[in-house]
Amino acid sequence: MIRFPLRLAAAAAAAALAAGCSVSDAPDHTTTDTSSGPVADTAPTDLRAEVISTHRMDPDSFTQGLTVVPADTADGDRIRILVSTGLRGASRIYTAWLDGDEIVSADIDDSLFGEGSAVSGPFIWQLTWTSGVVIKRDAHTLAELGRQHIAGEGWGLCYNDATGMLIQSDGSNRLRLRDPHTFADKGLLPPVTDGGAPVDNLNELDCGGEVIWANVWQQPLLVGIDPATGHVIHRVDLSALDPQTGHRDDVANGIARIPHTDRYLVTGKRWGVIYQVRFVPAG
Ligand SMILES: [Ca+2]
């Protein structure tokens, strides 16, 4: 577990509160303190993904980021998606219509392993895994506009309209706020816990609504996180959607809310398919 200094957490609290978002103002609480004990979270609700429609997708997409691009007036009723993919020598980022037809694609350097991406206004930010490189792109052409460098790993990324902030995962149970123009570090959200236990391996993200959704790496599981407390409040079992490609790395990864609806897109690495779903009570 990476620890962050108090002054950073305090700065994060101030920045996020100014933006209408609550973050922790104290150091990491996830280490068990037997004198007081971690506060147990309320049990999350178990949900399942009810499939509304199924759509083809490039079967080679080792999906690391999935986003519904904010609608352009020319889009009509069509849904435009942004996908960023991984693996060294094969990573790319592309836009496509939900029916599978691609619009624009850009490869990244063979030395980089692509990760999550998000649209913030006229820009796209694309993470890479362990290189510390974050690529800024034009949201329409995907042309590279510049790079920023970050400490730690890049996993998932999403953009939150309500606060105007990006949120980034790094494989731990911590989510970090990022400036949408500069990618500057704006501090941490509260540690993500389920029943008081840390939930590590937070990967692809969606933060378009009031709940932050996160894939948990190597599990067929989406968790819904309360950004104010870090508590997992929903769990969605995706195992019934897994197309079983035969590759152990082809795990569930990819969550994108369709704006102004109760529907989401979900996929996985090299699944070759995107599901449009609605989350409903399990059982
Ligand atoms: Ca996403």
Side-chain angles (χ1 to χ4, degrees):
M1 181 62 62
I2 302 168
R3 288 183 171 276
F4 295 91
L6 179 59
R7 61 182 172 76
L8 177 58
L17 287 171
C21 185
S22 172
V23 300
S24 62
D25 58 358
D28 182 358
H29 285 297
T30 55
T31 301
T32 301
D33 174 357
T34 53
S35 63
S36 58
V39 176
D41 309 347
T42 305
T45 55
D46 287 317
L47 304 175
R48 67 181 175 85
E50 178 184 77
V51 176
I52 298 165
S53 57
T54 303
H55 306 268
R56 67 189 166 93
M57 186 184 191
D58 173 9
D60 294 325
S61 282
F62 195 80
T63 303
Q64 305 285 48
L66 175 68
T67 305
V68 173
V69 178
D72 195 300
T73 49
D75 290 358
D77 293 333
R78 292 182 296 178
I79 293 174
R80 195 155 37 121
I81 60 172
L82 174 72
V83 180
S84 52
T85 75
L87 301 177
R88 265 182 196 84
S91 295
R92 68 180 182 122
I93 185 166
Y94 64 94
T95 51
W97 300 113
L98 183 55
D99 66 12
D101 289 342
E102 291 192 17
I103 304 167
V104 189
S105 178
D107 293 337
I108 65 171
D109 317 7
D110 285 354
S111 62
L112 299 174
F113 192 118
E115 288 284 345
S117 53
V119 183
S120 61
F123 307 121
I124 284 169
W125 289 95
Q126 180 184 15
L127 294 166
T128 61
W129 182 20
T130 55
S131 59
V133 172
V134 187
I135 304 171
K136 187 179 190 179
R137 297 181 182 276
D138 179 279
H140 287 283
T141 66
L142 306 186
E144 183 170 331
L145 301 176
R147 296 186 175 193
Q148 296 294 334
H149 294 269
I150 60 170
E153 298 186 0
W155 285 43
L157 194 66
C158 60
Y159 177 71
N160 178 249
D161 272 320
T163 60
M165 300 284 260
L166 294 158
I167 298 176
Q168 180 212 333
S169 65
D170 62 7
S172 72
N173 74 326
R174 304 308 302 262
L175 297 174
R176 185 176 299 277
L177 298 166
R178 294 283 184 182
D179 183 282
H181 300 287
T182 65
F183 216 74
D185 187 342
K186 294 295 183 181
L188 291 163
L189 292 172
V192 177
T193 57
D194 185 347
V199 179
D200 292 320
N201 292 317
L202 297 175
N203 200 3
E204 226 281 286
L205 300 172
D206 179 88
C207 54
E210 293 179 358
V211 172
I212 299 174
W213 294 97
N215 285 106
V216 180
W217 184 55
Q218 290 190 318
Q219 293 188 51
L221 175 66
L222 268 174
V223 290
I225 302 159
D226 179 346
T229 63
H231 294 175
V232 170
I233 54 176
H234 304 298
R235 297 164 56 99
V236 188
D237 181 354
L238 298 176
S239 53
L241 302 186
D242 189 335
Q244 305 289 338
T245 66
H247 298 283
R248 60 185 288 274
D249 293 335
D250 294 355
V251 295
N253 202 40
I255 168 69
R257 180 171 177 262
I258 302 175
H260 314 299
T261 74
D262 62 350
R263 289 168 280 138
Y264 295 82
L265 303 179
V266 296
T267 190
K269 301 182 185 191
R270 292 184 295 215
W271 277 17
V273 64
I274 295 179
Y275 299 98
Q276 183 178 179
V277 303
R278 184 181 289 119
F279 299 142
V280 298

